[in-house]
């Protein structure tokens, strides 16, 4: 695309009702639909294919499940304060065409869910999901600050209307492959340019996006006194390569390690100072225990509510580094076909592909959404697909 901000905007999706009686109600709601305030904002980079596309679909699935009769099959969808519809899904990647295909699949999924539910119920409006696509090259650091600001600024005006704001920082590339000592093998500036582009895309860009997202939706919302602030979550799509060295994948490993450490620091900086002084972690004397027993019956429920409120306040901002496992994507296909890849790694990817042991993107995305709905992970932690 020649202009990243000539965004392809996909309108709010809603299915054609199965029953005739729903048609009139749907037509009457057309104007109000456009004015509905979104409860959830989800931004996903690298959403044109692979894991990014799977995340977009998994989020849409969770939102429609919460707003439909099928939510009874997913009790965690009902209780969690996340992914509530109306939901605004913002997709970012290079390819306009591929982003539109992701949006089409989201629409298809919503329509399928509506058909299962046999027409919209009285809360049909709450099932609204809108998708906006922005085609841009995240490795172009000269253009990134302005273009990202032009995406976030309109969203920030409604910051305190959201219940939760999400960033799935997913976009990434393999970068140069081969032994670490071969990086400088090529003559001229080609090796340096290739290295710089990989770091720009996988590290610098990812850091900038998460930093700007935090500034926009956490720092800004904290300064308001008129409305409640949204829960803010950042999910950095990491890798086992962030913590283990993989021969011939030094640039990819360095990139994943660098962005993971940045997100760990980000989580640490925004952790609550009071959390280390939580009274629930302090030892009590025998007399204090007895006094607690005497009055516990009357204040038990109140104490639970107060503790839950305190925990929610402490956890308004969380970060997760999620390693999705070896997924069946274009990236693993590229690794399998790479002539300079380490022999052991090549055998692993080739065998896993042949025996269909690679993780399906939709499986790891759904598992990630389940983890997020439970919200029990420690902010800044590294969680692998196989650890869940």
């Amino acid at each position: 695309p020649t202009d990243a901000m000539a965004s392809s905007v996909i309108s709010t999706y809603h299915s054609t009702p199965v029953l005739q009686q729903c048609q009139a109600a749907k037509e009457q709601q057309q104007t109000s639909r456009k004015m509905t305030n979104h409860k959830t904002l989800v931004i996903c980079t690298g959403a044109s294919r692979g894991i990014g596309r799977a995340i977009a679909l998994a989020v849409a699935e969770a939102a429609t499940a919460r707003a439909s009769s099928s939510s009874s099959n997913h009790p965690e969808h009902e209780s969690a304060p996340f992914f509530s519809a109306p939901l605004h899904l913002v997709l970012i990647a290079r390819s306009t065409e591929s982003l539109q295909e992701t949006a089409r699949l989201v629409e298809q999924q919503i329509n399928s869910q509506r058909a299962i539910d046999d027409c919209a119920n009285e809360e049909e409006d709450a099932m609204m999901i809108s998708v906006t696509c922005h085609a841009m090259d995240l490795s172009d650091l000269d253009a990134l600050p302005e273009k990202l600001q032009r995406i976030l600024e309109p969203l920030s005006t409604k910051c305190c209307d959201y219940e939760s704001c999400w960033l799935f920082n997913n976009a990434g590339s393999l970068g140069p492959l081969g032994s670490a000592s071969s990086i400088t093998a090529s003559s001229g500036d080609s090796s340096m340019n290739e290295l710089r582009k990989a770091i720009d895309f996988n590290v610098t860009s990812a850091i900038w996006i998460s930093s700007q997202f935090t500034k926009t939706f956490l720092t800004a919302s904290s300064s308001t006194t008129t409305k409640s602030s949204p829960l803010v979550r950042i999910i950095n799509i990491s890798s086992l390569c962030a913590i283990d060295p993989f021969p011939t994948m030094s640039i990819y490993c360095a990139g994943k390690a660098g962005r993971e450490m940045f997100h760990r620091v980000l989580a640490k900086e925004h952790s609550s100072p009071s959390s280390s002084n939580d009274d629930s972690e302090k030892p009590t004397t025998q007399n204090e225990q007895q006094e607690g027993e005497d009055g516990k019956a009357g204040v038990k429920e109140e104490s639970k509510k107060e503790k839950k409120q305190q925990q929610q306040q402490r956890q308004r901002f969380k970060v997760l580094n999620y390693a999705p496992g070896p997924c069946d994507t274009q990236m693993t296909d590229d690794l399998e076909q790479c002539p300079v890849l380490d022999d052991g790694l090549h055998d692993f990817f080739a065998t896993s592909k042949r025996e269909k042991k690679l993780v399906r993107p939709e499986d790891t995305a759904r598992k990630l959404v389940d983890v997020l709905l439970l919200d029990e992970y420690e902010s800044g932690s590294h969680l692998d697909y196989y650890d869940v």
Side-chain angles (χ1 to χ4, degrees):
T2 56
D3 185 357
M5 301 321 296
S7 305
S8 170
V9 179
I10 289 75
S11 61
T12 298
Y13 293 119
H14 52 88
S15 63
T16 302
V18 176
L19 302 180
Q20 186 176 3
Q21 63 183 14
C22 297
Q23 183 62 36
K26 186 193 76 170
E27 291 174 354
Q28 292 174 359
Q29 292 171 349
Q30 290 300 317
T31 302
S32 62
R33 281 180 184 281
K34 297 177 182 178
M35 302 302 294
T36 302
N37 290 327
H38 293 97
K39 290 184 178 180
T40 305
L41 171 67
V42 176
I43 300 175
C44 182
T45 67
S48 59
R49 61 180 184 176
I51 296 171
R53 174 177 288 175
I55 288 173
L57 292 170
V59 167
E61 180 181 49
T64 53
R66 287 202 63 194
S68 71
S69 60
S70 66
S71 62
S72 60
N73 297 325
H74 304 275
E76 73 278 12
H77 292 176
E78 292 183 351
S79 60
F82 305 133
F83 302 134
S84 301
L87 182 146
H88 188 188
L89 193 55
V90 180
L91 309 179
I92 301 174
R94 285 195 182 103
S95 170
T96 299
E97 182 178 353
S98 297
L99 283 172
Q100 290 176 337
E101 174 62 14
T102 300
R104 186 193 68 79
L105 291 171
V106 170
E107 178 185 19
Q108 184 181 71
Q109 180 170 275
I110 297 170
N111 290 343
S112 299
Q113 186 63 58
R114 292 289 185 83
I116 293 172
D117 292 338
D118 194 23
C119 178
N121 55 34
E122 294 179 357
E123 298 180 347
E124 179 189 10
D125 212 34
M127 291 182 65
M128 184 177 65
I129 296 179
S130 62
V131 182
T132 306
C133 297
H134 295 275
M136 58 186 296
D137 183 358
L138 297 178
S139 68
D140 184 358
L141 299 187
D142 292 333
L144 178 63
E146 180 183 355
K147 290 181 176 179
L148 183 63
Q149 183 63 24
R150 288 170 65 182
I151 293 174
L152 297 182
E153 188 170 2
L155 300 172
S156 67
T157 61
K158 302 181 295 181
C159 180
C160 293
D161 292 329
Y162 299 122
E163 291 181 353
S164 60
C165 300
W166 301 76
L167 170 64
F168 290 86
N169 203 333
N170 165 68
S173 67
L174 284 172
L177 297 171
S179 65
S181 60
S182 69
I183 294 173
T184 59
S186 300
S187 59
D189 296 330
S190 59
S191 292
M192 179 60 74
N193 290 337
E194 190 177 5
L195 174 60
R196 180 184 291 116
K197 187 172 184 178
I199 298 300
D200 285 350
F201 183 29
N202 292 305
V203 182
T204 311
S205 173
I207 288 175
W208 186 273
I209 292 170
S210 287
S211 178
Q212 188 63 32
F213 180 86
T214 304
K215 178 182 178 181
T216 301
F217 296 105
L218 180 67
T219 308
S221 66
S222 298
S223 63
T224 183
T225 58
T226 58
K227 294 184 179 181
S228 60
S229 300
L231 297 172
V232 178
R233 300 289 185 265
I234 295 179
I235 296 85
N236 171 47
I237 300 303
S238 188
S239 169
L240 183 60
C241 292
I243 56 178
D244 283 349
F246 281 51
T248 67
M249 295 181 65
S250 59
I251 305 304
Y252 184 76
C253 289
K256 287 297 186 182
R259 64 193 278 173
E260 172 146 340
M261 181 54 72
F262 169 82
H263 286 92
R264 287 178 60 189
V265 172
L266 181 64
K268 188 74 171 180
E269 289 175 345
H270 291 277
S271 61
S272 171
S274 62
S275 61
S276 61
N277 297 322
D278 192 344
D279 289 342
S280 64
E281 296 181 1
K282 293 181 179 179
T284 57
T285 65
Q286 192 171 16
N287 289 338
E288 289 173 334
Q289 289 177 349
Q290 183 60 46
E291 291 174 2
E293 287 292 331
D294 293 339
K296 128 177 124 169
V299 300
K300 188 174 182 181
E301 287 303 317
E302 183 178 349
S303 177
K304 280 184 178 180
K305 290 179 181 179
E306 184 178 353
K307 187 170 290 187
K308 184 176 182 180
Q309 289 175 349
Q310 291 174 348
Q311 184 177 8
Q312 289 175 341
Q313 179 63 28
R314 288 198 300 270
Q315 298 299 313
R316 192 167 77 81
F317 177 77
K318 291 179 74 173
V319 177
L320 177 64
N321 293 294
Y322 179 72
C327 291
D328 191 2
T329 62
Q330 183 62 50
M331 184 176 287
T332 52
D333 289 344
D334 292 342
L335 285 170
E336 182 190 357
Q337 298 166 13
C338 177
V340 297
L341 188 68
D342 174 74
D343 289 341
L345 291 176
H346 179 273
D347 291 344
F348 168 78
F349 286 114
T351 301
S352 299
K353 180 78 171 180
R354 183 174 61 253
E355 297 179 356
K356 298 183 178 181
K357 292 182 178 180
L358 293 173
V359 179
R360 297 191 308 166
E362 57 266 35
D363 291 339
T364 195
R366 287 193 181 109
K367 183 171 283 191
L368 171 59
V369 166
D370 286 343
V371 168
L372 298 175
L373 285 168
L374 290 174
D375 200 39
E376 295 177 351
Y377 58 90
E378 181 182 353
S379 184
S381 61
H382 176 102
L383 185 66
D384 191 278
Y385 171 83
Y386 292 108
D387 293 336
V388 180

